[in-house]
């Protein structure tokens, strides 16, 4: 009976509908960005703005000095020079934080003002203190003319009431959020971060903090996927290690969906038999369609994608290198897309030269773990990529690699010295 | 009296010891990276490893199959082919998670095994199920020879006990932490993240959630700096808006240091008078030396740096654009350095062409807010940079800009079409 499933699993391989990476990504376009939620400014960095933000008022709300000096009527300074300074009567000082409206500056009058102070009535400009000289407590000489508006930030110069400050879809950075703070907008509507449930399966797996008995091994994928999810802006929902049987897996998927997971990652289906389980489990979920079963990439071929409403369920290969490649190529773009970004990996891509021959097979895209090094003498226009070979069940080659070299679908391999594209892992290469 | 300070502030300018950006960065090398702390794996992403990590045991702890198939002695398959398959007696199946030690595979015997399963005694390789055919429940044909070790990850193939898994100083990524999980290392020593206190001063300032009275304005810098600190891995410690007088500022700095701040940012000293306060406050702190007062960059000239033990205190210009430039050029490298990274901004730098003339003055470095756009037809080898002019007290030019164009210290400006370097803001350009 076990044997039947075993061999049946083998035959199933013939039914793989192998699609290209591009076709797989097109399937992901069938999902929708998530709804929005309102968060405080200090939690909005890197989030995607859900709608345009208009200025509710002018910024600054009044005309302000950009210098320490004297607020004057510019016209009265015209013609002033080192040799023929103009005399001004100092009629007061604008205290910081006061409206300036209780001081009026007449034609040959000046009011002391500090950087950021509100321009008093009658004044239209500020003479820098460097271009003045005190005669007595009530009189100054001005050596240099100013133009109207000089050394002043006018009311509404940053934003006028009703201006579009930020457009929906923008990824929010520190300055954007500073602008909102200045306008008194302290919460902001952003696209929700997708919750990504991580289910590991495999009866040989134990958690990282357990001591494995002979034949058992610690779960690596849960930790790696957790951090990969966070890295691209998702919220990891760890579901632990699930017993490797249909009922347990189905129950765990249902629980993940009930808990609001937008994406479910079922990791551990490297075995042909297990892949069948994953397929059966996904097919057994209410309203769930299997969209893809197999992609023509290496590693990562046995990837499964299913869809329940706007929820995505991935059957990831169990081998850690394959799981990471599939995560970067498909899950990461989907998490970004659901968070309001574009459907791309968002990883840095660099052009490199092949440090040696990279064999491949036409009809599939290869993603080879590579180290980047300086090129040979005289050939240092770009970094050179050297493969970090190793079985896809090993984690150490990923630790040693800087990124993934892409061998195109129509290529039978790359020659030494040939140009290629490398997707950089985020943190390891710097 | 007020006037005396005012004019004295003016004269102080002559005493500015203007140093270059490089000299300023050399001063920052006088600080030390922080101590280490131990954190769980899921909190260690992007952190800097404080010491080498050695493998406490072999990974994997036993030889495992990488395929579904049959564990055999490789030698017994030599010569097998489609036309002349070898016959093997199936002596059992290795259940997942079992040690495999209760099954012994003899020369012409095979044991069923699943991906990840432990190799049984006597076996040295695995024949993929695809290259076998069942004759009956106890017998299979094998069509293809395997080499010893084929389709097997050997005990210790990822790491051998005592191997250096990760070197101290490494910035930890998902795969690194997955490797540690696999080895049962669930906590990791990392360099502490610096605490960065943010003090805003200015009697005209009110918090973003307050309604300013005439003459008052909402504090922008606290929000922007908070997010810039987080963005480079620091822990922001918001200290609020401090009254603009010597005693209040000194008390607030002392409190920040008492609360463990590694870096103190005093923002709001654009006014000449206020700069004096900042200097006096820093000088008045116990064991605190002022290392720099003025840098030959624009914007950002009136930057102050002081040092108390391994704590850094910055007097940042109050104008928001100047504060951000100084943060990116100096505070960000220091936060990275204190966290165990290199003393660089860590920002992406791209080569661009100037979309128009950029005037400058020899003897200082300019950092001009620029937008990047595609070049004119036929000149699209790189992005073209166009200035986003605007007074440094405005936030909107920073919202519109993609980065800072660097005009070198020895340059009197850049011509249209000339190549230059642009420091990209992290999130806004993508």
């Amino acid at each position: 009976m076990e044997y039947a499933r075993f061999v049946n699993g083998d035959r199933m391989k013939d039914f793989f509908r192998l699609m290209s990476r591009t076709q797989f990504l097109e399937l992901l376009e069938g999902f929708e960005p998530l709804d929005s939620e309102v968060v405080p400014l200090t939690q909005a960095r890197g989030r995607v703005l859900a709608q345009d933000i208009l200025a509710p008022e002018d910024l600054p709300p009044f005309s302000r000095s950009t210098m320490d000096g004297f607020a004057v009527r510019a016209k009265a300074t015209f013609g002033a020079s080192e040799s023929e300074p103009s005399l001004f009567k100092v009629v007061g000082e604008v205290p910081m934080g006061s409206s300036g409206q209780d001081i009026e500056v007449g034609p040959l009058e000046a009011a002391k003002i500090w950087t950021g102070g509100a321009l008093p009535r009658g004044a239209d400009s500020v003479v820098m203190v460097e271009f003045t000289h005190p005669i007595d407590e009530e009189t100054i000489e001005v050596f240099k003319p100013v133009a109207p508006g000089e050394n002043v930030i006018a009311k509404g110069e940053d934003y006028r009431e009703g201006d579009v400050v930020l457009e929906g879809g923008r990824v929010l950075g520190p300055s954007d959020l500073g602008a909102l703070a200045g306008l008194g907008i302290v919460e902001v509507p952003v696209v929700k971060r997708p919750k990504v449930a991580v289910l590991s399966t495999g009866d040989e797996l134990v958690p990282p903090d357990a001591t494995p008995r002979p034949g058992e091994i610690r779960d690596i994928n849960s930790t790696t996927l957790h951090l990969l999810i966070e890295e691209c802006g998702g919220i990891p929902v760890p579901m632990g290690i699930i017993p490797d049987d249909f009922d347990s897996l189905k129950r765990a998927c249902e629980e993940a969906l009930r808990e609001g997971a937008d994406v479910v990652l079922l990791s551990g289906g490297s075995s042909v038999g297990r892949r069948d389980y994953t397929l059966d489990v996904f097919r057994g979920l209410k309203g769930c369609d299997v969209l893809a079963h197999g992609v023509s990439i290496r590693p990562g071929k046995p990837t499964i994608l299913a869809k329940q409403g706007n929820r995505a369920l991935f059957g990831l290969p169990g081998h850690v290198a394959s799981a990471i490649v599939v995560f970067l190529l498909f899950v990461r773009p989907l998490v970004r897309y659901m968070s309001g970004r574009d459907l791309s990996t968002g990883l840095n891509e660099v052009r490199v030269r092949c440090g040696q021959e990279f064999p491949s097979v036409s009809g599939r895209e290869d993603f080879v773990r590579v180290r980047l090094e300086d090129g040979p003498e005289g050939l240092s226009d770009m970094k050179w990529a050297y493969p970090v070979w190793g079985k896809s069940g090993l984690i150490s080659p990923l630790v040693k690699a800087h990124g993934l070299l892409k061998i195109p679908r129509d290529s039978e391999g790359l020659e030494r010295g040939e140009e290629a594209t490398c997707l950089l892992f985020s943190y390891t290469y710097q």
Side-chain angles (χ1 to χ4, degrees), chain A residues 175-235:
Chain A
S175 300
D176 303 338
L177 296 160
L180 298 184
L183 288 160
I185 300 168
V186 294
E187 291 183 324
V188 66
V190 293
V191 181
K192 281 185 181 164
R193 299 168 60 192
K195 289 186 187 169
V196 186
V198 179
L199 289 70
S200 273
T201 183
D203 291 336
E204 78 282 21
L205 293 183
V206 297
D209 59 357
T211 303
R213 286 173 301 187
E216 294 180 337
I217 191 157
R218 294 193 188 87
D219 180 19
I220 290 182
N221 286 9
S222 288
T223 299
T224 309
L225 291 171
H226 186 106
L227 296 164
L228 286 167
I229 291 162
E230 273 191 350
E231 193 176 64
C232 65
I235 301 172

Side-chain angles (χ1 to χ4, degrees), chain A residues 140 149 207 389 395:
Chain A
I140 55 162
W389 300 122
I395 182 76

Side-chain angles (χ1 to χ4, degrees), chain A residues 5-290:
Chain A
R5 179 162 79 84
F6 195 86
V7 173
N8 185 43
D10 182 20
R11 285 214 210 92
M12 276 302 294
K13 293 191 69 170
D14 303 334
F15 295 100
F16 272 17
R17 280 192 308 123
L18 281 195
M19 56 176 68
S20 69
R21 184 172 58 91
T22 314
Q23 287 170 318
F24 198 102
L25 285 170
E26 280 164 10
L27 291 176
L28 297 181
E29 284 173 13
F31 292 87
E32 300 285 335
L34 301 184
D35 294 337
S36 66
E37 62 182 340
V38 172
V39 300
L41 294 186
T42 48
Q43 288 170 31
R45 187 177 56 83
R47 303 289 296 269
V48 176
L49 189 62
Q51 60 188 61
D52 291 358
I53 302 281
L54 307 187
E57 60 188 49
D58 286 350
L59 183 69
F62 54 89
S63 295
R64 314 174 71 199
S65 177
T66 63
M67 294 289 173
D68 294 350
F70 291 89
V72 295
R73 298 189 182 186
K75 208 171 166 185
T77 67
F78 294 175
S81 67
E82 287 275 352
S83 54
E84 288 190 64
S86 306
L87 283 184
F88 283 79
K89 183 180 175 209
V90 179
V91 294
E93 173 180 338
V94 182
M96 290 308 290
S98 88
S99 70
Q101 294 306 296
D102 47 357
I103 299 180
E104 166 126 30
V105 170
L108 281 173
E109 292 178 342
K112 259 193 284 184
I113 194 165
W114 300 82
T115 303
L119 234 56
R121 279 189 296 141
D124 60 7
S125 54
V126 172
V127 181
M128 286 170 70
V129 69
E130 287 87 336
F131 301 117
T132 68
H133 186 260
I135 299 295
D136 57 39
E137 281 291 309
E138 290 197 342
T139 320
I140 55 162
E141 287 177 337
V142 168
F143 301 123
K144 214 181 152 186
V146 285
E150 196 167 333
N151 299 324
V152 169
I153 290 180
K155 179 174 190 288
E157 189 168 336
D158 241 333
Y159 297 103
R160 292 200 166 279
E161 184 183 336
D163 278 355
V164 176
V165 179
L166 301 170
E167 289 183 4
R170 184 179 178 97
V171 180
L172 296 167
S175 300
D176 303 338
L177 296 160
L180 298 184
L183 288 160
I185 300 168
V186 294
E187 291 183 324
V188 66
V190 293
V191 181
K192 281 185 181 164
R193 299 168 60 192
K195 289 186 187 169
V196 186
V198 179
L199 289 70
S200 273
T201 183
D203 291 336
E204 78 282 21
L205 293 183
V206 297
D209 59 357
T211 303
R213 286 173 301 187
E216 294 180 337
I217 191 157
R218 294 193 188 87
D219 180 19
I220 290 182
N221 286 9
S222 288
T223 299
T224 309
L225 291 171
H226 186 106
L227 296 164
L228 286 167
I229 291 162
E230 273 191 350
E231 193 176 64
C232 65
I235 301 172
V237 182
M239 304 287 294
I241 298 166
I242 316 296
D244 198 4
D245 65 73
F246 179 85
D247 289 336
S248 302
L249 289 172
K250 182 156 179 281
R251 257 199 314 275
C253 285
E254 283 166 348
E255 193 192 329
L257 294 168
R258 208 166 40 237
E259 294 206 355
D262 302 293
V263 180
V264 175
L265 306 182
L266 208 164
S267 146
S270 286
S271 162
V272 174
R274 287 190 196 165
R275 276 204 295 275
D276 294 348
Y277 273 161
T278 303
L279 264 185
D280 290 347
V281 165
F282 288 175
R283 284 185 181 131
L285 296 170
K286 205 178 160 192
C288 187
D289 296 320
V290 173

Side-chain angles (χ1 to χ4, degrees), chain A residues 299 321 325 355-358 367-373 384-405 422 425 428:
Chain A
V325 168
Q356 61 176 73
E357 199 188 326
F358 286 80
F367 292 88
V368 184
R369 293 156 288 177
V370 290
R371 284 189 73 76
L372 300 187
E373 294 174 18
W384 284 55
Y386 297 87
V388 185
W389 300 122
K391 301 180 179 99
S392 63
L394 297 174
I395 182 76
S396 53
L398 286 154
V399 171
K400 288 176 195 140
H402 295 133
L404 300 171
L405 186 92
C422 181
F425 299 142
T428 47

